[in-house]
């Protein structure tokens, strides 16, 4: 049972344009969401997070939007840069379960010069 | 920022042997650490939650006798893969929970285990 889903395994974007990565979830008990960037054979690096009481959080080029009614979140990267090329994972934390994270399958972003 | 140091980064072992992976929190106290595994091009799957001074909590389907977790101090958690088999070959990552930050979790660099 995949509680966090990233339905696009890959995304290709031109440098300078916007990258939009999507994530859907099924568990209404998730109260905190995070996006991570990961390179092969390395641990994930935190990008941005959002609490379920908010619908938007912004940090520089990265913005995360949360639509609780649709159980959907998205990560916007603008402008996209070649250095953004990596695998992006969304993760969700269930309320009152000790802080564990449930990850999506990841989306491989390729930003072309 | 908070750092988790994970060793070894890569290990190759023979079937039937045991392998220990260490995760140390370098500049914070991790009362809770999480262990994940990742198969190629797949998600990070939570294996277990490690709590300092108590038994680990394992996710459904994870054999606790095969994946031994010890969290003897606030800065060290270990995962031992016992009697390793080729199907245990995977990428193992630990994560420490950092209280009071907006990122909450910091990950180790991962261990690539290959069982031959």
């Amino acid at each position: 049972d995949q509680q966090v889903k990233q339905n696009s395994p890959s995304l290709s974007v031109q440098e300078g344009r916007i990258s939009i990565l999507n994530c859907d979830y099924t568990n209404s008990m998730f109260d905190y969401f995070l996006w991570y960037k990961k390179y092969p054979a390395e641990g994930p690096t935190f990008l941005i997070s959002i609490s379920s009481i908010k619908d938007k959080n912004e940090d520089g080029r990265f913005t995360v939007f949360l639509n609780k009614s649709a159980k959907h979140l998205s990560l916007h990267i603008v402008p996209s840069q070649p250095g953004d090329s990596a695998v992006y994972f969304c993760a969700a934390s269930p309320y009152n379960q000790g802080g564990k994270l449930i990850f999506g399958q990841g989306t491989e972003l390729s930003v072309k010069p | 920022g908070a750092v988790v140091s994970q060793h070894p980064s890569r290990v190759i072992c023979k079937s039937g042997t045991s392998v220990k992976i260490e995760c140390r929190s370098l500049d914070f106290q991790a009362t809770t650490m999480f262990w994940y595994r990742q198969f190629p091009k797949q998600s990070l799957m939570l294996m277990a939650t490690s709590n300092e001074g108590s038994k680990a909590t394992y996710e459904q389907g994870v054999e606790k006798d095969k994946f031994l977790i010890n969290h003897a101090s606030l800065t060290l958690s270990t995962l031992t893969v016992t009697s390793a088999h080729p199907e245990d070959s995977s990428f193992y990552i630990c994560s420490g929970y950092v209280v009071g930050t907006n990122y909450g979790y910091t990950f180790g660099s991962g261990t690539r285990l290959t069982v031959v």
Side-chain angles (χ1 to χ4, degrees):
Chain A
D1 176 29
Q2 188 74 31
Q3 297 185 62
V4 179
K5 298 180 183 180
Q6 293 174 257
N7 292 316
S8 298
S10 63
L11 174 68
S12 183
V13 171
Q14 205 68 30
E15 180 179 8
R17 308 295 290 270
I18 185 171
S19 295
I20 300 177
L21 298 107
N22 294 302
C23 181
D24 297 292
Y25 62 96
T26 58
N27 190 341
S28 58
M29 295 301 289
F30 290 145
D31 67 343
Y32 195 64
F33 303 88
L34 307 92
W35 282 94
Y36 287 90
K37 178 180 180 180
K38 186 180 181 301
Y39 296 108
E42 293 184 12
T45 303
F46 171 79
L47 281 175
I48 193 168
S49 63
I50 188 167
S51 163
S52 61
I53 62 173
K54 295 186 175 181
D55 55 15
K56 177 183 176 181
N57 189 25
E58 191 172 353
D59 184 1
R61 296 187 297 117
F62 302 94
T63 303
V64 55
F65 296 92
L66 175 62
N67 183 333
K68 283 180 60 180
S69 60
K71 292 189 173 68
H72 177 84
L73 66 155
S74 61
L75 173 68
H76 292 210
I77 306 173
V78 56
S80 302
Q81 300 172 354
D84 296 329
S85 297
V87 178
Y88 289 77
F89 287 93
C90 70
S93 180
Y95 171 75
N96 209 23
Q97 287 198 30
K100 70 179 184 182
L101 293 179
I102 310 297
F103 282 83
Q105 307 97 311
T107 296
E108 184 170 9
L109 173 66
S110 176
V111 181
K112 301 190 182 304
Chain B
V3 175
V4 170
S5 176
Q6 183 172 347
H7 295 280
S9 59
R10 303 177 69 94
V11 59
I12 301 173
C13 70
K14 292 184 178 181
S15 288
T17 61
S18 295
V19 173
K20 180 185 282 189
I21 302 170
E22 289 190 351
C23 271
R24 294 182 183 274
S25 55
L26 297 186
D27 48 7
F28 69 100
Q29 293 184 328
T31 54
T32 301
M33 296 194 85
F34 304 92
W35 287 93
Y36 297 83
R37 67 187 296 182
Q38 184 189 23
F39 292 107
K41 296 198 179 292
Q42 293 190 24
S43 179
L44 284 79
M45 300 297 296
L46 179 66
M47 299 174 64
T49 302
S50 167
N51 298 297
E52 186 267 335
S54 65
K55 290 184 179 180
T57 303
Y58 290 82
E59 295 299 302
Q60 191 173 11
V62 178
E63 299 175 59
K64 63 180 181 180
D65 294 329
K66 180 167 189 59
F67 298 100
L68 299 179
I69 290 174
N70 184 280
H71 196 156
S73 76
L74 288 171
T75 58
L76 175 64
S77 177
T78 61
L79 166 68
T80 301
V81 183
T82 63
S83 187
H85 290 283
E87 57 265 31
D88 299 324
S89 299
S90 187
F91 190 63
Y92 293 86
I93 312 174
C94 62
S95 168
Y97 183 68
V98 188
V99 177
T101 65
N102 66 344
Y103 50 87
Y105 310 84
T106 187
F107 285 81
S109 53
T111 297
R112 168 71 62 195
L113 171 63
T114 303
V115 185
V116 297

